Amino acid sequence: MPTPGFPPNTLDSEGAPIWISELATDDPNHILHVVRGIEPAEALKVLGANPALFQPCILPEVKPDEWTSLPCAALGIEPGTAAALLAGQIGQWTFIYDDSGYTYNDKATKALSGDGRTAAASVYTINGDATLTYAVDGEQIAWINIDDLALDEDILGVPAELSSAFEAAGVVETDDYEPGEVDGMITMRAVCALADLQCTMEDIRRVPLLVVPLDGRSSEERS
């Protein structure tokens, strides 16, 4: 299946949204949160970030090494000492990129979706695990794990906008997957398609960005 929702030059060779792969380290363990109906600063606070540490961000042109994400480079953080959250807004949707997966917990997407909002998150771990969580008005509506995803069957029961996002994501055939097998980047593409983030790094650089450091505690421990 092709990727009809992604224009040319918006995916890398592995099928990841190119702006995500250009933000990430070479061996990422990261999360993309998206939420409709809330500003970036407010979304960061929901995820447990300290407003006193928020700062406007102009991303560096290149990463200093394979272990440092662009958001961490912008903050001058040494690899392994802290994580970084990068937030911005395109259209109705706010995105928050967590370069180290520190905001992963069962409550994050539900919290972002509170007060009638819609939110989703794609998690991709260093072990190649990939999941997607979708929530509306504080309630989790769908949780999708690529390990047991039968695409043609499992997206039939999800809300229409999420089903459309998976159709736009399609399946990218790479050397790591058999023809027709769901690839590991599909949930990241689906979240980007849901939030109209089928874009390039240049598009991301054109919007106002906030960046904030996080320590190694979970978001529940920080709240």
Side-chain angles (χ1 to χ4, degrees):
M1 186 162 53
T3 51
F6 286 81
N9 303 316
T10 58
L11 298 177
D12 69 14
S13 61
E14 300 299 318
I18 196 151
W19 69 275
I20 297 291
S21 57
E22 291 188 11
L23 286 175
T25 65
D26 285 6
D27 198 6
N29 186 76
H30 55 186
I31 303 173
L32 176 63
H33 300 275
V34 298
V35 55
R36 183 169 54 204
I38 188 173
E39 298 294 319
E42 291 302 312
L44 287 170
K45 287 190 281 187
V46 171
L47 291 177
N50 182 354
L53 301 179
F54 294 180
Q55 56 184 281
C57 179
I58 297 177
L59 292 167
E61 289 299 319
V62 296
K63 288 172 273 195
D65 53 59
E66 61 188 298
W67 306 284
T68 305
S69 71
L70 276 183
C72 271
L75 288 167
I77 293 174
E78 293 294 324
T81 60
L85 298 185
L86 180 76
Q89 184 172 5
I90 294 180
Q92 298 180 0
W93 289 86
T94 285
F95 62 87
I96 307 98
Y97 175 72
D98 173 353
D99 73 342
S100 298
Y102 280 8
T103 57
Y104 178 70
N105 68 73
D106 294 337
K107 300 177 182 178
T109 308
K110 290 190 288 186
L112 284 171
S113 74
D115 298 324
R117 297 185 293 269
T118 296
S122 175
V123 177
Y124 186 84
T125 75
I126 198 168
N127 297 318
D129 302 316
T131 62
L132 181 148
T133 306
Y134 175 90
V136 177
D137 196 20
E139 295 295 329
Q140 181 176 299
I141 305 300
W143 184 83
I144 294 169
N145 185 339
I146 66 160
D147 287 345
D148 51 15
L149 175 61
L151 192 58
D152 292 338
E153 300 173 8
D154 292 343
I155 66 169
L156 294 177
V158 303
E161 69 172 356
L162 185 57
S163 176
S164 296
F166 271 98
E167 291 175 3
V171 174
V172 173
E173 295 184 2
T174 72
D175 293 339
D176 295 328
Y177 297 90
E178 297 296 328
E181 186 179 0
V182 175
D183 67 283
M185 293 293 108
I186 189 171
T187 57
M188 199 67 78
R189 293 195 305 276
V191 166
C192 286
L194 175 71
D196 294 325
L197 293 170
Q198 306 99 320
C199 54
T200 66
M201 192 71 244
E202 288 71 26
D203 297 323
I204 298 297
R205 292 180 185 278
R206 282 193 284 267
V207 302
L209 299 171
L210 288 175
V211 68
V212 60
L214 289 181
D215 60 30
R217 293 175 295 161
S218 69
S219 56
E220 292 179 344
E221 290 173 325
R222 285 190 300 274
S223 61

